[in-house]
Amino acid sequence: MDYRTGKRIVAETARRTENRYGNRPTMKDVAARAGVGLKTVSRVVNGEPGVTPDTERRVQEAIDALGFRRNDSARVLRKGRTASIGLVLEDLADPFYGPLSRAVEEVARAHGALLINGSSAEDPDREQELVLALCARRVDGLVVIPAGDDHRYLEPEIKAGVATVFVDRPAGQIDADVVLSDSFGGARDGVAHLIAHGHRRIGFIGDMPRIHTAAERLRGYRAAMADAGIPVEDTWMSLGVTDPQRVRKAAEDMLAGPSPVTAIFAGNNRVTVTVVRVLAEHSRSVALVGFDDIELADLLQPGVTVVAQDAAQLGRTAAERLFRQLDGTLVLPERIELPTRLITRGSGELPPAD
Amino acid sequence: MDYRTGKRIVAETARRTENRYGNRPTMKDVAARAGVGLKTVSRVVNGEPGVTPDTERRVQEAIDALGFRRNDSARVLRKGRTASIGLVLEDLADPFYGPLSRAVEEVARAHGALLINGSSAEDPDREQELVLALCARRVDGLVVIPAGDDHRYLEPEIKAGVATVFVDRPAGQIDADVVLSDSFGGARDGVAHLIAHGHRRIGFIGDMPRIHTAAERLRGYRAAMADAGIPVEDTWMSLGVTDPQRVRKAAEDMLAGPSPVTAIFAGNNRVTVTVVRVLAEHSRSVALVGFDDIELADLLQPGVTVVAQDAAQLGRTAAERLFRQLDGTLVLPERIELPTRLITRGSGELPPAD
DNA sequence: CCCGCAGCTGACAACGTTGTCCAGGCTCTA
DNA sequence: TAGAGCCTGGACAACGTTGTCAGCTGCGGG
């Protein structure tokens, strides 16, 4: 069975149809074996009161003998809540999302919920497909790191009671809870830091501006430059490049042109890593500040100065808000912005080498 | 509702009981609105044949108007398969597991299944709790990175038809599919590499030997030393330390004693990172080979030589085996061992500095 | 003109669980 | 000892969906 089409997958049909759940025992089976009623088994399984120790023992023996395990699918159907939440992010393999995901999981666990997650791979259609699949599973809530910029498709779901919190980027076209890092302020401070160290020709390499964080960081870059009265040249900016090869090319171009940059601001962790590589091969010393912290940044020569955001805190905050929505403690959607932190390690403090 | 106790969480009861699923429309509602039978709606929703275009249009309109979305919980109950698989690992935030998890997800997606995951935090009880919760949800299959060493609790589940594959470490006490990296061979080669570069006093820092990979790597270390006819001194080995502070202490002790080591073999990515930090502060040059690749290892001075394992490949292999179990293509449990790869970058080629 | 057939459609049971409600037996008190 | 009240246990419906099957319509052919 495919969660998208609803069609069965051919190969599995043959083996499985005659063997539903591998013929798992049900409460009925347990009841028959223990010689009690169905509901009595239910009571024992759920630790409800009103069962004599003797009866309970008989039921428990039957449960153990048959290897019975309650079917939570049926339970969910009956009770209405699934005790699970969905997390849709861009890519679990990205070191930024690991801690975020784990933080969400911990909060979910504290509330007795399981976590279902999916990677959108930065594809809006895939995001929607995943989100709707999770809604069809009737997750109690959703934590979404948006790939797309139009989330009206979620309106009926939210209206129907699916708690929803967006993280890292705001929702598009709908009013919903959102937890962000202060990308604008962080980038502005990072670039201002470079300016304070004497740089005027500063390059910016970031992701596609349709991604909110990328746009905000670009805005921060422009704001810092404007504040310092430095006109920005087009050749200093590279937008929408994200794969290593193109980042490399972009960086090399900035360092080569007629007015080469003396410093680079890297818009996210992946860009930073590639730029570090390029600079390591470069003869002239070039300053660097990156958005997002990266592991081992302190051990490089020079250490990499970064604008750090706390991924775990983002996840934790979002998940806590989600459960407060579910509690009914929360009513109005809100936008929460977490501060970033500039960590100086050397690369951002290099003077311009003209 | 708590997936462990089955008890409702008090705070949510009040708000939710009168508002099941937020009163989502059901097929019955759609049928009423479209003026057709229940089953006809089901047919339209599932794209089954035998519906006039006109009827289909009416139903579709009703669906859109009501914002209906099929309840997959009910569907699952009826059909028997959930189109979801569970992944239990140690810690999603660990950079080793991100790519692994993502790889499992991609394979699941290709088979139309969703991924539910949980972190055991290296706690056997928590692993069992998670696994059984997933079984109660009737996941079709499980990919487990074991924390415990006794998995007999899974026997009834496997017998009942839950496909199961263990990754990174073998299952305990039961016969099941397992996909591993060649920890023994990798560690032996890594240590032999150090020996080949003239080292004789080589330290080993690894995790608790009750963790299979840690034990295997230790065995590899001992084998390489034995092959070279080098007797190992107890002070050269540090087992069961994993938090940075204690790794630091262990490394410093090895470098300080009466017969200080001239090289260190680090048993996993986290140990490697800490050892790199210690060595960076150390006056004498000390060689290092680490198990697991780490990002930016090539940019450090010197680059860090590692025994790399392919986390994504581990996940992919395991997931593919899982679905082959589900297809019925697979019958007998097997143990698959993936090779490791020595990547020389400098730190492992340093000569001994006595 | 009637029969058969095909194509649509819907009534109904079933999936495994939980909530409601009632029956029967027990204890305790007046 | 009768009546009230409590404790235990079970019958039954319901959750929302899908599979089965039977009924209905309209059409073509005998």
Side-chain angles (χ1 to χ4, degrees), chain B residues 308-344:
Chain B
Q309 52 179 332
D310 188 340
Q313 186 60 36
L314 275 177
R316 201 157 32 236
T317 308
E320 272 159 6
R321 257 194 107 66
L322 191 78
F323 283 101
R324 284 181 55 206
Q325 280 185 31
L326 288 171
D327 282 352
T329 322
L330 227 64
V331 189
L332 287 179
E334 206 174 318
R335 176 196 181 99
I336 298 179
E337 214 159 78
L338 300 181
T340 57
R341 198 161 51 95
L342 184 74
I343 305 178
T344 59

Side-chain angles (χ1 to χ4, degrees), chain A residues 222-278:
Chain A
R222 285 184 182 283
M225 296 296 267
D227 287 350
I230 307 172
V232 174
E233 294 187 18
D234 282 352
T235 53
W236 297 351
M237 289 179 301
S238 166
L239 310 178
V241 305
T242 173
D243 67 297
Q245 284 194 348
R246 292 179 56 205
V247 170
R248 169 173 288 274
K249 172 97 171 42
E252 283 165 352
D253 287 353
M254 285 179 193
L255 294 169
S259 65
V261 300
T262 63
I264 292 180
F265 186 85
N268 66 41
N269 56 353
R270 282 163 303 173
V271 171
T272 306
V273 168
T274 305
V275 172
V276 167
R277 292 224 156 80
V278 173

